[in-house]
Each structure stands twice: as C-alpha cells, then as structure tokens.
Amino acid sequence: VSFVYAGAGDKSLENITFSAPKGETIGIIGSTGSGKTTLVNLIPAFYQASEGEIFIGGADINEMSLEELRSKIAVVPQKSVLFKGTIRENMLWGNENATDSDIWSALENACADSFVREKEFSLDEKVEQNGSNFSGGQRQRLTIARALIKKPEILILDDSASALDYATESKLRKNIRALDYSPTVFIVSQRCMSIKSADKIVVLDDGFVVGIGTHDELLESNADYNEIYYSQMDKKEG
C-alpha cells in the first residue's frame, strides 16, 4: 500500500508490503516522522490507503463494514485517553458486557491490577477527565487493559508503553504473548528493546520499508536497524 495525506505532495507511505500471520507479534520501528502511526492507522481504516489493498483473514477491509472491521481490532494510541467516571466504567467502554472477573483479568495482564487494588474504592475509584489523577504509566496500563477486555483479533499498541520502565514493559509483553485467544499484535515503538522479541520487525524510514526480519536477522544485515539499535545501546550504557 501507499498513502498520501490530503493536500500533501509527497507520499507518507510508499509500496509497503508485508504479512502478519495470526498470533504473531509485529514490531514497527523507525525515527519520528517515518510513518509508523500512519501505517497502523490504515489497518482499522482510520485512513484509506491511497493505493493497494489490506486484507484481514483473507478479506479486503474495504469490503467489510466499519463496524465489522473495528470489532476485530483494539487500538491503544500514543496518548492515553481515559474518561471521567470510574475505573470500572472506563473498562466497560472496552466491553460493556465484561464482568468484574473479566476486568481484573485484563488489569492483571496489563500490569495494572496492583495499583488499582491499592486504591480506596478499587474498581469504583474515580477517574478525572483524561485520567489526570493517575500517573502516565498508570494511564497507559489502564488503556491497555481496556483494549484487552475486548479480546481483539488484532491488538495495536502505538507507542503505548513509553512511560513504563523496562521491567514492567517486559512483563506486559510476556502477558500479552500468553493470552489464550492469541491476538495478532502490532507494537509501534522508537525503542528497540520494546520490539526486540517480536516475531517480525518492520523498519521504516521516510515512508519506505527499509528492512523486515527478526532482531537478530536485522542486526546481521540491516544498516538502518543497526544505527537505531546501537545508538540506543550507547545511550543506555552512558
């Protein structure tokens, strides 16, 4: 697929081709402005591809209703969005029929259960507009839990663990990988450590795919990935 924003002269994405088998984790990495978010936003048809086709389960997404398409997908955006109300009400927005057991299971998988249990009113704890009474990492984990309650076929995490420390993020990835309904997971990140264990990593640069492979394969053969990885390792060591 290729994509051009309305009124823009240059393509934001050009000739992107890859497949994502059911249950696999796909990492999307690249510098700011490389097209990572634009790419994953084509999957639930937040934008329409300018050229090319996108298939889910062998079906062209343009032949599905938006309701059918988006019922299969949960997206956790870069900016955590929580609504004024309670934790329970926010979770039910992901699945209005969820039981308390379902909610606690999702919170546990999102590494959010411990701080929710510490709240005075637990699931009935108040949430201020935009979740302003929670830290950035807590907001991210609550929005991930809300996505998991939906039990989506496709889970898109768009830089949605950036406020988490590496240990919490690592546990979160393990929990998601162990989910019994095996969603196909897209992890968009600028951090190599966040996508290192993905089954497949797509490296973007200025709207083009400049590498596809596992972490080890890309380290061995891809200059762009090497540059990102070693610059981050140097910073970490520093």
Side-chain angles (χ1 to χ4, degrees):
V1 297
S2 297
F3 179 77
V4 184
Y5 282 101
D10 296 331
K11 292 177 179 176
S12 295
L13 296 170
E14 189 155 0
N15 296 329
I16 308 290
T17 301
F18 66 88
S19 61
K22 178 174 171 50
E24 283 203 349
T25 297
I26 311 296
I28 313 276
I29 196 166
S31 59
T32 302
S34 59
K36 303 185 298 294
T37 294
T38 303
L39 174 59
V40 293
N41 280 342
L42 294 177
I43 299 169
F46 292 159
Y47 307 129
Q48 291 281 335
S50 305
E51 300 169 19
E53 297 163 315
I54 300 167
F55 294 89
I56 293 178
D60 187 332
I61 66 169
N62 289 324
E63 294 177 4
M64 300 181 197
S65 68
L66 280 180
E67 184 179 10
E68 179 190 2
L69 173 63
R70 292 176 184 170
S71 70
K72 301 173 183 291
I73 302 169
V75 181
V76 185
Q78 292 169 321
K79 187 178 186 325
S80 305
V81 179
L82 293 172
F83 306 104
K84 189 172 184 179
T86 65
I87 291 175
R88 179 186 276 106
E89 286 167 350
N90 268 271
M91 293 301 108
L92 291 175
W93 191 74
N95 175 4
E96 62 183 14
N97 298 313
T99 63
D100 279 10
S101 175
D102 295 331
I103 293 172
W104 281 117
S105 176
L107 289 169
E108 187 176 336
N109 284 321
C111 302
D113 59 311
S114 57
F115 71 80
V116 174
R117 290 185 194 282
E118 289 170 1
K119 297 293 184 183
E120 182 181 358
F121 300 107
S122 189
L123 294 179
D124 293 312
E125 186 73 19
K126 283 188 177 179
V127 178
E128 300 297 339
Q129 189 64 40
N130 297 322
S132 59
N133 55 326
F134 293 90
S135 70
Q138 289 173 339
R139 287 196 300 271
Q140 286 189 333
R141 282 175 280 172
L142 287 172
T143 54
I144 290 168
R146 187 172 60 200
L148 295 180
I149 277 185
K150 189 176 178 181
K151 295 190 175 180
E153 291 179 32
I154 297 170
L155 175 65
I156 298 173
L157 303 174
D158 186 1
D159 206 16
S160 52
S162 56
L164 306 185
D165 59 68
Y166 281 111
T168 304
E169 187 187 4
S170 177
K171 185 181 178 188
L172 171 69
R173 289 198 308 271
K174 284 179 184 171
N175 290 349
I176 289 173
R177 194 174 277 272
L179 291 170
D180 58 8
Y181 53 93
S182 301
T184 304
V185 181
F186 289 86
I187 300 176
V188 175
S189 184
Q190 294 186 54
R191 304 196 301 197
C192 284
M193 293 302 292
S194 299
I195 48 95
K196 186 177 177 183
S197 60
D199 299 294
K200 182 184 294 175
I201 298 169
V202 178
V203 187
L204 290 179
D205 182 45
D206 200 23
F208 290 90
V209 170
V210 293
I212 296 181
T214 64
H215 170 75
D216 290 339
E217 288 168 350
L218 290 168
L219 271 190
E220 193 173 307
S221 63
N222 189 272
D224 295 87
Y225 189 75
N226 270 267
E227 185 179 341
I228 297 169
Y229 179 73
Y230 286 110
S231 69
Q232 292 178 7
M233 290 304 100
D234 291 343
K235 285 177 187 173
K236 201 174 174 187
E237 288 164 11

